[in-house]
Amino acid sequence: QDLNGEVGRCGRWLNKTGRYEVFLPLYENGGKLSSISVKPENLLIADAVTALEVEELLAYTCSDTRFPPALINLARSSESDRPPLDDIIDPIPIAKGGGIVPIFDTYRGPLSKEAHALLRTIANPDIGNDQMIACSLLAQKFSDEDRRNPNTKKMTESSVFFSEFVRDRKAKDSVRVASFEASMAKFSDSMVDEVCGKWLKVVVKLDGIHPPIRREFVVRPAMTLRALHDQVLCPVMGWKSNYHCYAFRKVFDDLQKLKDSCWIGPRTSTALDSMFMPLYVGGCVANDKQISIGQLHASE
């Protein structure tokens, strides 16, 4: 009776008890967040949450005060349908009178120390504040006149700095990525089968979410990481493929091994937030179309 009217998330069906597992954020068991079992007849579908309630929840559960979020506004040619990073590195010239399309997104993830310095350098103080770093970029090949023009000087310098940063990250990471791909290719199908068997059990848990969101499933070891993302993870998690950029990597207890580990993901991505990839993941990633989950597991 004390829980009447409480709102929670309905989990799995428990055959042994004939009840649903329900997670309540305010329910504590020994000081730890836990779940309760509820009969179907005692459950009702809650009203849909409002946009304001979602914002408040995200602010509470996902805030990170170590570094303010970064907002990047990228203006590029309206004729471009390429990945954002391609436009930054090698922009399509914007002719006089030509169309310009702005794309913008906010990044709240971790940053490399180089990215910290870059964003502080190119930040636009007229737009950002103490809670957010804002950067305005233009995907254009700049002339000397653009660099001297006081009206465009800040955007020109910021765009050049960001473009050079991406090129530098790509050049540095490409050698490591090529070496990693070659090491993965050494694990043949027979070697993978010997280590993994016919199936691999995968457990997925989202960090920083309460009540916890968890999925378990089995896949063939031969499944590539691209297929794992598009055909398994997106459907079971309710995500949309290619809506956000993504990358995988092995996690090590050793800090140096973790620092040297290679990210695996799509070589090119048209997702808008792919322009944030160099800020932490790096300038390039190993091809997830060519590396299987079995090869990654066997490499341990």
Side-chain angles (χ1 to χ4, degrees), residues 26-92:
L26 300 180
Y27 180 74
E28 294 186 358
N29 181 13
K32 297 182 180 179
L33 196 66
S34 186
S35 63
I36 59 175
S37 301
V38 183
K39 295 179 179 180
E41 57 267 27
N42 293 330
L43 293 175
L44 295 174
I45 298 177
D47 295 332
V49 296
T50 65
L52 178 60
E53 289 172 331
V54 172
E55 290 181 3
E56 291 176 347
L57 178 62
L58 290 176
Y60 175 76
T61 60
C62 304
S63 60
D64 187 347
T65 58
R66 290 174 299 175
F67 194 78
L71 170 67
I72 293 184
N73 182 9
L74 172 66
R76 62 177 180 174
S77 171
S78 59
E79 299 179 0
S80 176
D81 58 356
R82 303 186 302 167
L85 282 180
D86 288 355
D87 280 330
I88 292 173
I89 296 175
D90 185 24
I92 296 176

Side-chain angles (χ1 to χ4, degrees), residues 260-277:
D260 295 337
S261 63
C262 190
W263 289 90
I264 310 164
R267 281 290 180 85
T268 58
S269 174
T270 54
L272 295 186
D273 55 1
S274 63
M275 60 184 172
F276 298 123
M277 186 178 75

Side-chain angles (χ1 to χ4, degrees), residues 124-195:
N124 187 338
D126 296 331
I127 303 176
N129 50 45
D130 292 339
Q131 285 74 44
M132 176 175 289
I133 291 181
C135 310
S136 297
L137 306 176
L138 178 62
Q140 171 69 302
K141 294 182 178 180
F142 299 101
S143 63
D144 292 337
E145 182 180 349
D146 294 325
R147 299 171 188 267
R148 293 192 298 266
N149 188 335
N151 296 325
T152 59
K153 184 177 180 180
K154 178 59 179 178
M155 181 180 288
T156 300
E157 290 179 345
S158 298
S159 302
V160 171
F161 284 154
F162 195 88
S163 178
E164 290 177 349
F165 172 78
V166 174
R167 289 195 187 94
D168 179 68
R169 296 304 309 164
K170 189 171 184 178
K172 288 180 178 179
D173 293 337
S174 59
V175 176
R176 183 161 56 96
V177 166
S179 175
F180 176 77
E181 289 180 333
S183 68
M184 289 293 100
K186 295 178 181 179
F187 291 94
S188 63
D189 292 342
S190 58
M191 294 172 64
V192 169
D193 290 341
E194 183 177 348
V195 174

Side-chain angles (χ1 to χ4, degrees), residues 228-239:
L228 176 68
H229 176 268
D230 292 350
Q231 300 174 20
V232 180
L233 283 179
C234 284
V236 303
M237 300 303 299
W239 296 336

